[in-house]
């Protein structure tokens, strides 16, 4: 059964770069049927689509992040990562990684999520 | 402000049927893109509830159903149970944003 697990610092200073890794187990990130994505949820608020990546590299980002986001993939480690630079308190959220089908746009399964707090 | 609009809250008594709406625009739902629904209990990971407008993943009770018409979609829950009390989110694709979009979420209260 496919599982995803986020990892990375739980505390990031304002103006610095948030970096998270999602490790995929129970399946290959190079499976051509899927994309891999990041979603976040600020405390007490709704879900926000951040972006997706295909194993061979094409990426799609939420334009509201104004170029601050980068998603990359490391097929040798079966991992993909998220970098969000110039963070502010508004970037404090639970960050989830998830799998998205290539022939559909839904996410399933999701990782457990990791809370990242931006401190001043 | 979410691209897809959902009511902040809905409620219903046990056994009743409730619906949660998800309103979009001509660049997402109205353009024909599929709508998906997620269920999230407090402190837990969102769970896929409906995909492709009206398809249930294995294990999801048939009390849950989805529909789509024009620029809107709906999630219906029949035979409401106390365990259905959760937050529900819709999701689609938006061509003007070239990416996925979520609704703001609806909190369901079982009276």
């Amino acid at each position: 059964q496919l599982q995803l697990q986020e990892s990375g610092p739980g505390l990031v200073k304002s103006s610095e770069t948030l970096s998270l890794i999602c490790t995929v187990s129970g399946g290959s990130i190079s499976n051509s049927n899927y994309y891999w994505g990041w979603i976040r949820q600020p405390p007490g608020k709704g879900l926000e689509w951040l972006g997706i990546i295909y194993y061979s590299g094409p990426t799609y980002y939420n334009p509201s992040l104004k170029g601050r986001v980068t998603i990359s993939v490391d097929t040798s480690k079966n991992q993909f990562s998220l970098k969000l630079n110039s963070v502010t308190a508004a970037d404090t959220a639970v960050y989830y990684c998830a799998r998205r089908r290539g022939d559909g746009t839904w996410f399933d399964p999701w990782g457990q999520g990791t809370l990242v707090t931006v401190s001043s | 402000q979410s691209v897809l609009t959902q009511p902040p809250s809905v409620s219903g008594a046990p056994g009743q049927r409730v619906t949660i709406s998800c309103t979009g625009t001509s660049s997402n739902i109205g353009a024909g893109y599929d709508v998906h629904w997620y269920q999230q209990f407090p402190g837990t990971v969102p769970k896929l509830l409906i995909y492709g407008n009206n398809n249930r993943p294995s294990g999801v009770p048939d009390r849950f159903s989805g529909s789509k018409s024009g620029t809107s979609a709906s999630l219906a829950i029949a035979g409401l149970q106390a365990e259905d009390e959760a937050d529900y989110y819709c999701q689609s694709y938006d061509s003007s944003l070239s990416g996925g979009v979520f609704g703001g979420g609806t909190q369901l209260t079982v009276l």
Side-chain angles (χ1 to χ4, degrees), chain A residues 35-42 46-54 58-66 69 71 82 84 93-101 104-108 110, chain B residues 1-4 36 38 89-104:
Chain A
Y35 285 80
W36 306 90
W38 289 95
I39 304 106
R40 72 179 179 182
Q41 184 172 35
L47 301 168
E48 181 180 21
W49 190 97
L50 300 182
I52 58 172
I53 189 167
Y54 194 57
T59 53
Y60 304 88
Y61 300 128
N62 186 330
S64 72
L65 296 172
K66 296 182 174 62
V69 62
I71 298 175
L82 171 75
L84 182 65
V94 175
Y95 286 77
Y96 296 100
C97 60
R99 183 183 71 176
R100 202 211 82 169
R101 288 188 64 89
T105 56
W106 65 89
F107 290 104
D108 183 58
W110 295 51
Chain B
Q1 189 79 357
S2 301
V3 174
L4 303 179
H36 323 298
Y38 301 87
Y89 293 90
C90 60
Q91 183 221 333
S92 187
Y93 176 86
D94 191 287
S95 59
S96 65
L97 300 175
S98 298
V101 287
F102 284 97

Side-chain angles (χ1 to χ4, degrees), chain B residues 27-104:
Chain B
S27 63
N28 42 68
I29 299 175
Y33 294 108
D34 286 343
V35 177
H36 323 298
W37 293 90
Y38 301 87
Q39 178 188 56
Q40 185 181 34
F41 298 105
T44 70
V45 180
K47 168 192 167 186
L48 181 67
L49 195 64
I50 296 286
Y51 66 93
N53 305 316
N54 55 14
N55 300 289
R56 288 184 309 276
S58 174
V60 174
D62 60 7
R63 301 186 296 105
F64 295 89
S65 62
S67 63
K68 189 184 87 165
S69 178
T71 58
S72 294
S74 291
L75 172 71
I77 309 172
L80 202 59
Q81 298 180 5
E83 65 199 50
D84 299 331
E85 194 163 281
D87 293 326
Y88 293 84
Y89 293 90
C90 60
Q91 183 221 333
S92 187
Y93 176 86
D94 191 287
S95 59
S96 65
L97 300 175
S98 298
V101 287
F102 284 97

Side-chain angles (χ1 to χ4, degrees), chain A residues 16-81:
Chain A
E16 296 191 344
T17 297
L18 178 159
S19 296
L20 295 174
I21 292 173
C22 181
T23 301
V24 178
S25 59
S28 174
I29 203 169
S30 300
N31 188 318
S32 60
N33 294 313
Y34 301 104
Y35 285 80
W36 306 90
W38 289 95
I39 304 106
R40 72 179 179 182
Q41 184 172 35
K45 296 188 177 181
L47 301 168
E48 181 180 21
W49 190 97
L50 300 182
I52 58 172
I53 189 167
Y54 194 57
Y55 77 96
S56 58
T59 53
Y60 304 88
Y61 300 128
N62 186 330
S64 72
L65 296 172
K66 296 182 174 62
R68 295 193 296 129
V69 62
T70 303
I71 298 175
S72 58
V73 64
D74 187 335
T75 55
S76 67
K77 295 181 178 179
N78 228 34
Q79 296 175 332
F80 63 106
S81 64

